[in-house]
Amino acid sequence: MKLAPLAAAVAFALALPAAAQAQSAEDKAPPRIEAALTLGSLGAGPEFTFRPSPYLGLRASAGFLSVNHTFGVNDIDYRGGLRLASYGGTIDLYPFRKGLRLSAGLRVNRNKVRLTATPNGPVSVGQLTFTPDQIGTLSGTVTVADLAPTFTLGYHTGKARGLTFAIDGGVMLQGTPRVNDLTANGTLATDPTFQAQLADEQTQVNAKIDQYKVYPILQVSIGYGF
């Protein structure tokens, strides 16, 4: 009867090296390459991943897209034409070798918003009211920092070969958006009084968009592993 526990212990001891060897073989699996298409708040574009180990991934991606958004400042409705254009790299850590991943990266951020507004009635520019003919069309460009760090939490199917799926959510710290070139082309475009009010209007626009210094990230990727 006492031989059974001894046999079990011997079997367990013999199994440990085999399990360790299998684990070591998995950790030393050959590097993997994956090509994918990614789509989300950063835009749509290609994504390439290199997995030198089950715990580590290196990604490079680019995103491009154009969308429109309207927002109001005082009684002026601005139409924002958002042009997404960014690219960069990401380091992925897989604490469980697959599935959950923690990522940090850096993107070259060329995202811009082209603002335009053409009032069809008297509106306030700065602190004074002007007619549509006096204002014409207001226009300017919203820019952000050229380099922006990213931090995301995601899930990757982790297949060695074949179709893969991933989803990542997080933030891009793009700095404070700024309009530095708000102009008008109406009859008072060069009038000093109007120019002073236009500068005040630009300050108000910047105060409105100050909340967008943290840009949300939600990306879905479908790829193929080699």
Side-chain angles (χ1 to χ4, degrees):
M1 295 297 294
K2 295 183 179 181
L3 293 179
L6 179 61
V10 171
F12 180 74
L14 293 176
L16 282 177
Q21 185 176 4
Q23 177 70 35
S24 177
E26 182 179 357
D27 291 345
K28 295 179 180 180
R32 290 163 39 194
I33 297 175
E34 180 183 327
L37 175 65
T38 180
L39 174 66
S41 60
L42 293 175
E47 180 178 79
F48 300 96
T49 300
F50 175 63
R51 292 282 298 275
S53 83
Y55 297 97
L56 178 66
L58 304 175
R59 272 188 294 155
S61 65
F64 307 94
L65 196 66
S66 294
V67 295
N68 294 320
H69 175 65
T70 300
F71 68 94
V73 178
N74 293 330
D75 50 358
I76 299 178
D77 290 327
Y78 287 89
R79 180 178 181 272
L82 173 60
R83 183 176 67 87
L84 296 174
S86 67
Y87 55 91
T90 303
I91 297 176
D92 302 318
L93 297 179
Y94 295 83
F96 307 111
R97 298 196 302 275
K98 58 183 178 180
L100 179 72
R101 67 184 180 188
L102 307 173
S103 307
L106 189 66
R107 294 186 77 82
V108 177
N109 192 3
R110 295 288 186 260
N111 293 348
K112 292 182 178 181
V113 180
R114 183 63 177 171
L115 296 179
T116 58
T118 306
N120 53 17
V123 295
S124 296
V125 175
Q127 305 300 322
L128 300 178
T129 300
F130 299 92
T131 67
D133 288 339
Q134 292 171 330
I135 300 170
T137 296
L138 298 168
S139 60
T141 303
V142 180
T143 58
V144 291
D146 289 337
L147 293 176
T150 61
F151 302 94
T152 59
L153 172 67
Y155 178 85
H156 186 276
T157 55
K159 292 182 178 180
R161 294 181 183 276
L163 289 176
T164 61
F165 171 81
I167 183 169
D168 295 275
V171 295
M172 178 170 66
L173 307 182
Q174 63 179 359
T176 303
R178 279 292 175 261
V179 179
N180 297 310
D181 61 348
L182 189 64
T183 61
N185 60 5
T187 59
L188 293 182
T190 59
D191 180 79
T193 300
F194 179 78
Q195 284 292 317
Q197 297 305 311
L198 190 61
D200 184 73
E201 178 72 15
Q202 178 174 288
T203 299
Q204 295 183 45
V205 171
N206 283 330
K208 180 74 173 181
I209 63 178
D210 184 70
Q211 59 185 305
Y212 297 106
K213 61 182 65 175
V214 177
Y215 186 85
I217 295 176
L218 181 60
Q219 291 290 123
V220 174
S221 303
I222 299 176
Y224 192 89
F226 300 90

